[in-house]
Amino acid sequence: MEALAGLTYYTIAISVVILGIIVIAVAYIIIRFRKKSGEEGEPYQDFGSLKLEITWTLIPVAIVAVLFLLTCSTMRAVDPPSADREPDIIIIGHQWWWEIVYPESGVITANEVHLPAGRQLLARLESIDVIHDFWVPELGRKIDLVPGHPNYMWIVAGEPGVYLGACAEFCGAQHANMRIRVIAQTEEEFSEWLTRQARIPETPSTGIAAEGAKIFQEIACMNCHTIAGTPAAARVGPSLTYLATRDTIGAGVLTNTPDNIAKWLKNPAKYKPGSLMPNMKLTDEQVNAIVAYLEALDE
Amino acid sequence: MSSRIPIVPESTEPLPGLGENTGLLSWVASIDHKQIGIMYLIGTLIYFVIGGLEALMIRTQLAKPGSELLSPEMYNQLFTMHGTTMIFFVVMPFLIGVGVYLVPLMIGARDMAFPRLNALSFWLFAFGGVLLYYSFFTQSGAPDVGWFAYAPLSEKPFSLNNGPTYWALGLLVSGIGSLISGLNNVVTILTMRTPGMTMRRLPLFVWMMLVTSFLLVFVIPIITSAFVMLLLDRLLGATFFTPAFGGSAILWQHFFWGFGHPEVYILVLPAFGIVSEVIPVFSRKPIYGYEFVAGSTVAIGLLSLGVWAHHMFAVGLGNVANAYFSLASMLIAIPTGIKVLNWVSTMWGGRINFAVPMLFATAFIIEFVVGGLSGVAIASVPIDWVVTDSYFIVAHFHYTIFGGSLFAIFAGVYYWFPKFTGRMMSETLGKWHFWLTVVGFNMTFFIQHFLGVMGMPRRTYTYHDMPYWGSMNLISTIGAFIIALSVLVFIWNIIVSLRKGEPAGDNPWKAWTLEWATTSPPPVYNFKLVPPVRGRRPLWDLAHPDSPDEPDAKIVTEGPNG
Ligand SMILES: [Cu+2]
Ligand SMILES: [Cu+2]
């Protein structure tokens, strides 16, 4: 980040100076060399000067040389070689949500990247369908998620907190609503979060939540979603195992409350037109049962 | 010595054209370069209005966060069509059209080398556009995958509708027109120059059209082959660009930008040419450092072929490739800088008449420098990683294509309108047009640099209510409506001036290149007698027999105070 700041300041400074020179020169010309009334005839016909041409070729050459060296060193600092290490996180782009996998613990979540603040992690980026791009402005660089071409990126968030980002490569109807949250936590909080996500939840056995579990297995939900510890293991849609612990649904279109989950289930296209989650034409009872089930998984 | 090389046989029949018959048929059937040029200009004006309306709808949608005016599908169609239209059906054919009109006149020729091919080019352009726009009336709607149509989004599995097929077909057709036009220009410029018009005396506009035409000939085949592959994928089940079946998504980008970056220079080099004609005439001085202005054009043309992957820094090509493309892109700044400094030096010491063409040319210099500097910044890989695909890029390329090319185009229209029509455009309306455009343009796009740095991605039909985003976008939208107003003034000016403009005479600006030696508008045969060409400014030599330009003088002469 420091290297990047240096490069940015150099570039801004150079740009401001050059623009300044041109603007001042043009302003001076407008005042000084505008045709005044009463001036007759043609001005002195000046065809050019070899010396000047050489000067203003060489100065930019020098500026570009410095800029290029800075570029190379910054590029190395921002993107050091990953030394064939296994990634800590795998980020998989889907139309229009993010699947986040922690390979070591086997945790799979969606639309939220949890990180230990201050620790540099290696992320591998893939795409299941079209090209997406991971961009969290406060964390610096962006990188494409290209199908058939995994990319690697170092990711680090200095301070605990929530960093907002979005998909930056146009990826279809809901490109605008493919948002991502990076949640940087202290080491303890992070490992607590990870352990909790890795636990296999118990399927509720009583009440409306149990009914919800039954409905979930019976209708098509399980063709697209995963709930750990149940036969539902598809990855077409986000993992719903610990949906209740996440902040948003639909990659940022709604805040995550039981009410909003119900609204989403009734008609996803209302909040995210074009979304690949179909409207399952659920009755209110079915919706309430499923919501109770999804909430109960986190108890 | 004659500079005509007998590649092109002299035609034995008189060409049909303006002649006696001035009805519609005389236009549709015309192979006269002036009529074809005018048809290009009218065609691009129509597309300009359409593309502008699309832009207005985009900006209206973005005026406030979370707006639901347009559906995502509609928005995506609009931004795709806006980009495609402005690039392929406005700026590019406009410049080709002005070239078709002016190149033969500027080199003292009777017509283009291949007049019939010239007509074919125009009609391919016109019908390519019709084919593209026809998609709006089909069930599937217009293409909605961006003007860059990245695979695999543009492939059948992700775009079941026919939009991208219309897109590829329409551009394929109009692209072939551009290719033919490029060839025609190259042959015309190399073989049809009037005696005495050596390459060193070629007007700079013609020089830049020559380099542009070579670029067209080199790069249109690249994109054409990509269109064919995409169509094979979409229609016949091939898998060139579908990774799921062994194709490559990145391959499309190499093809697209292999064409797309030189295309940027196809859009701007002729604009440089216009400015290089306008600035000397209104400063009453010869262009400063002619050889360097012409030579730097050739340098830009060559460099532009080797920098395409600077559009792909975020794709993950590896840092060695990134470093190469970064350096090559930065190098382009050097010949471009040379041009800017020569234009400024041409004005320096002049006796400048700030008529409307010169106003646009002057604003062009400053705006283009802004776009050029942000271009150098994003040629630096780490900076590009931060701002690419954000509104910063939208700001950057609008400063080059709108602040650059389009401002130059306006300069050119005001400058040559008298030649095309025999009437002057209104200066008063022109000044209104100019100031509204300057204010509207900068208001719309300058602020987008900041939006991009603040994290607003491009190509989103809506955005969250982040701090300041709403008000900044609103300012941008108001700017867009000011631009729209300026375009109305411009069109009004054209209409009024066509009817009541002051008669122009042959050479209202006291310019020096050959097109001003004939009547306005020129007769079908262009010149009764082409004036002798003994230097770069034949009409200066005629007007100043006592102090003509030195014929083939020292390349660059040192002035007493220069
Ligand atoms: Cu995306
Ligand atoms: Cu480029």
Side-chain angles (χ1 to χ4, degrees):
Chain A
M1 278 314 230
E2 262 160 53
L4 183 58
L7 173 67
T8 310
Y9 290 140
Y10 174 79
T11 315
I12 294 179
I14 290 287
S15 304
V16 168
V17 169
I18 295 176
L19 183 63
I21 292 174
I22 301 287
V23 169
I24 291 170
V26 170
Y28 179 78
I29 286 170
I30 292 175
I31 297 164
R32 173 76 178 69
F33 297 115
R34 146 199 303 276
K35 182 176 158 62
K36 320 269 176 341
S37 57
E39 273 180 328
E40 284 298 320
E42 306 283 18
Y44 172 71
Q45 301 291 298
D46 180 4
F47 289 82
S49 144
L50 193 58
K51 263 188 238 143
L52 272 181
E53 300 286 347
I54 291 174
T55 318
W56 63 46
T57 308
L58 291 183
I59 294 176
V61 168
I63 295 176
V64 162
V66 177
L67 181 60
F68 178 63
L69 293 178
L70 274 177
T71 293
C72 289
S73 61
T74 310
M75 192 156 64
R76 238 189 118 73
V78 174
D79 189 23
S82 54
D84 295 328
R85 218 184 93 185
E86 284 301 309
D88 305 301
I89 310 179
I90 302 172
I91 301 174
I92 306 169
H94 293 251
Q95 276 182 322
W96 295 280
W97 59 282
W98 310 85
E99 183 175 7
I100 318 293
V101 181
Y102 293 80
E104 207 171 313
S105 56
V107 166
I108 300 182
T109 180
N111 302 327
E112 285 180 1
V113 179
H114 285 253
L115 294 177
R119 185 138 60 92
Q120 197 175 38
L121 300 187
L122 183 65
R124 184 166 81 207
L125 301 103
E126 305 169 359
S127 168
I128 213 85
D129 39 47
V130 303
I131 301 177
H132 303 274
D133 187 288
F134 180 90
W135 188 29
V136 180
E138 285 172 89
L139 301 186
R141 74 162 300 183
K142 63 172 71 66
I143 189 160
D144 283 357
L145 288 68
V146 186
H149 176 94
N151 275 328
Y152 289 84
M153 170 181 71
W154 293 101
I155 175 168
V156 57
E159 298 296 321
V162 178
Y163 301 83
L164 299 182
C167 175
E169 184 59 83
F170 180 67
C171 56
Q174 279 298 334
H175 165 58
N177 285 316
M178 184 163 165
R179 301 207 171 89
I180 183 124
R181 306 163 80 77
V182 170
I183 300 173
Q185 296 164 299
T186 60
E187 288 283 352
E188 300 82 68
E189 280 170 348
F190 174 70
S191 63
E192 203 177 294
W193 175 84
L194 202 63
T195 335
R196 181 160 153 209
Q197 300 280 318
R199 215 180 53 200
I200 300 213
E202 262 171 53
T203 305
S205 51
T206 54
I208 179 169
E211 212 172 298
K214 218 171 118 235
I215 301 174
F216 192 92
Q217 306 300 338
E218 277 165 6
I219 56 179
C221 310
M222 63 179 293
N223 293 347
C224 297
H225 290 286
T226 298
I227 289 182
T230 76
R235 287 162 74 176
V236 177
S239 162
L240 299 179
T241 314
Y242 285 110
L243 173 68
T245 65
R246 303 207 284 260
D247 290 346
T248 66
I249 42 185
V253 289
L254 291 169
T255 46
N256 187 0
T257 62
D259 262 3
N260 280 343
I261 298 181
K263 282 190 198 155
W264 170 267
L265 293 181
K266 295 278 297 185
N267 188 2
K270 179 162 176 218
Y271 306 97
K272 205 164 172 179
S275 156
L276 298 182
M277 159 101 181
N279 180 348
M280 309 281 290
K281 308 257 175 348
L282 303 173
T283 64
D284 284 344
E285 288 88 74
Q286 285 175 314
V287 166
N288 291 341
I290 293 175
V291 173
Y293 168 51
L294 293 176
E295 295 290 320
L297 290 170
D298 183 38
E299 266 153 23
Chain B
M1 183 213 73
S2 157
S3 60
R4 275 170 204 251
I5 304 165
I7 297 179
V8 187
E10 284 291 333
S11 71
T12 45
E13 300 163 52
L15 298 168
L18 292 164
E20 299 290 294
N21 176 3
T22 52
L24 190 62
L25 187 68
S26 84
W27 289 87
V28 175
S30 174
I31 56 171
D32 174 73
H33 73 102
K34 298 177 290 298
Q35 278 182 304
I36 292 173
I38 298 275
M39 289 195 288
Y40 265 112
L41 303 194
I42 295 171
T44 55
L45 185 62
I46 293 169
Y47 282 120
F48 180 57
V49 171
I50 297 174
L53 289 174
E54 286 159 356
L56 278 188
M57 286 193 257
I58 291 172
R59 281 307 332 162
T60 310
Q61 165 86 354
L62 296 177
K64 68 180 175 65
S67 155
E68 287 183 359
L69 207 64
L70 299 171
S71 68
E73 289 79 16
M74 195 62 209
Y75 182 88
N76 293 343
Q77 291 178 24
L78 286 173
F79 88 75
T80 301
M81 292 298 278
H82 167 71
T84 307
T85 305
M86 289 304 194
I87 288 174
F88 293 100
F89 297 98
V90 177
V91 178
M92 188 164 151
F94 178 91
L95 295 167
I96 290 178
V98 193
V100 158
Y101 192 108
L102 290 170
V103 164
L105 286 165
M106 286 181 139
I107 62 175
R110 164 70 183 75
D111 204 310
M112 298 287 283
F114 306 110
R116 285 178 178 76
L117 282 185
N118 196 18
L120 178 65
S121 291
F122 168 77
W123 290 107
L124 286 173
F125 147 73
F127 281 112
V130 171
L131 186 55
L132 177 69
Y133 266 90
Y134 177 73
S135 61
F136 262 120
F137 305 103
T138 65
Q139 222 170 5
S140 60
D144 57 356
V145 291
W147 86 278
F148 43 89
Y150 271 10
L153 182 63
S154 52
E155 293 278 9
K156 203 85 203 183
F158 304 104
S159 297
L160 287 168
N161 63 38
N162 286 326
T165 308
Y166 279 106
W167 179 83
L169 278 174
L171 292 186
L172 187 82
V173 169
S174 71
I176 293 171
S178 311
L179 173 65
I180 296 174
S181 180
L183 264 175
N184 206 344
N185 256 318
V186 169
V187 177
T188 306
I189 297 170
L190 292 183
T191 66
M192 309 267 290
R193 301 188 311 276
T194 188
M197 175 76 75
T198 60
M199 293 305 274
R200 283 189 159 173
R201 294 175 186 164
L202 212 54
L204 282 168
F205 177 75
V206 180
W207 253 113
M208 310 228 180
M209 280 311 295
L210 179 64
V211 176
T212 305
S213 303
F214 269 112
L215 282 179
L216 284 170
V217 173
F218 289 141
V219 304
I220 299 273
I222 303 178
I223 194 72
T224 305
S225 50
F227 289 147
V228 171
M229 283 186 273
L230 183 64
L231 288 169
L232 287 175
D233 279 10
R234 290 186 58 87
L235 301 175
L236 300 178
T239 59
F240 287 104
F241 306 124
T242 38
F245 301 99
S248 162
I250 298 180
L251 182 66
W252 167 264
Q253 299 191 20
H254 282 298
F255 272 97
F256 186 80
W257 293 117
F259 153 81
H261 188 82
E263 169 71 10
V264 171
Y265 288 92
I266 291 170
L267 299 179
V268 89
L269 287 180
F272 287 172
I274 295 176
V275 170
S276 304
E277 296 298 329
V278 167
I279 288 179
V281 167
F282 289 83
S283 305
R284 308 310 303 158
K285 282 178 61 204
I287 187 82
Y288 201 83
Y290 171 95
E291 286 77 7
F292 287 85
V293 179
S296 60
T297 310
V298 178
I300 291 175
L302 289 175
L303 282 171
S304 79
L305 294 169
V307 300
W308 71 92
H310 65 206
H311 296 265
M312 300 164 64
F313 286 152
V315 166
L317 299 178
N319 283 352
V320 176
N322 286 349
Y324 160 75
F325 283 104
S326 174
L327 179 62
S329 311
M330 287 176 190
L331 286 181
I332 295 196
I334 297 165
T336 312
I338 291 176
K339 283 197 156 54
V340 170
L341 291 166
N342 278 306
W343 291 325
V344 173
S345 304
T346 306
M347 292 164 74
W348 195 275
R351 198 161 287 169
I352 308 173
N353 166 15
F354 281 101
V356 179
M358 189 60 184
L359 289 176
F360 274 106
T362 311
F364 160 92
I365 294 182
I366 291 175
E367 282 157 2
F368 190 77
V369 168
V370 173
L373 289 170
S374 61
V376 175
I378 52 183
S380 173
V381 181
I383 296 180
D384 183 80
W385 282 340
V386 175
V387 296
T388 187
D389 285 321
S390 80
Y391 263 86
F392 188 90
I393 304 293
V394 179
H396 158 69
F397 71 74
H398 279 97
Y399 265 85
T400 58
I401 299 181
F402 191 142
S405 301
L406 201 61
F407 268 67
I409 284 175
F410 286 137
V413 169
Y414 283 90
Y415 180 57
W416 281 300
F417 188 89
K419 181 53 59 183
F420 296 162
T421 66
R423 291 180 185 276
M424 305 298 287
M425 285 184 85
S426 152
E427 277 287 304
T428 320
L429 285 175
K431 289 204 163 114
W432 274 101
H433 172 214
F434 171 74
W435 286 109
L436 285 170
T437 316
V438 168
V439 172
F441 164 75
N442 286 290
M443 190 166 163
T444 309
F445 294 108
F446 199 76
I447 207 163
Q448 293 183 357
H449 290 110
F450 302 109
L451 270 171
V453 173
M454 286 161 72
M456 181 158 165
R458 305 166 63 174
R459 305 161 182 153
T460 57
Y461 76 95
T462 185
Y463 54 94
H464 266 198
D465 192 4
M466 309 285 269
Y468 306 111
W469 285 21
S471 38
M472 289 166 80
N473 271 292
L474 182 62
I475 291 174
S476 183
T477 300
I478 296 172
F481 278 89
I482 298 177
I483 298 175
L485 183 63
S486 81
V487 173
L488 289 182
V489 175
F490 174 58
I491 294 175
W492 181 239
N493 195 352
I494 294 180
I495 296 172
V496 171
S497 305
L498 274 178
R499 294 163 155 223
K500 305 202 201 117
E502 268 179 50
D506 294 356
N507 189 1
W509 309 115
K510 297 204 185 64
W512 303 306
T513 37
L514 288 181
E515 77 271 29
W516 303 102
T518 183
T519 53
S520 311
V524 186
Y525 49 84
N526 286 354
F527 296 95
K528 274 215 181 67
L529 191 70
V530 182
V533 179
R534 299 204 188 87
R536 279 179 205 140
R537 300 189 294 170
L539 303 198
W540 167 277
D541 297 347
L542 280 185
H544 302 266
D546 45 327
S547 61
D549 290 350
E550 276 183 69
D552 289 331
K554 266 188 295 159
I555 311 303
V556 174
T557 40
E558 299 271 347
N561 55 3

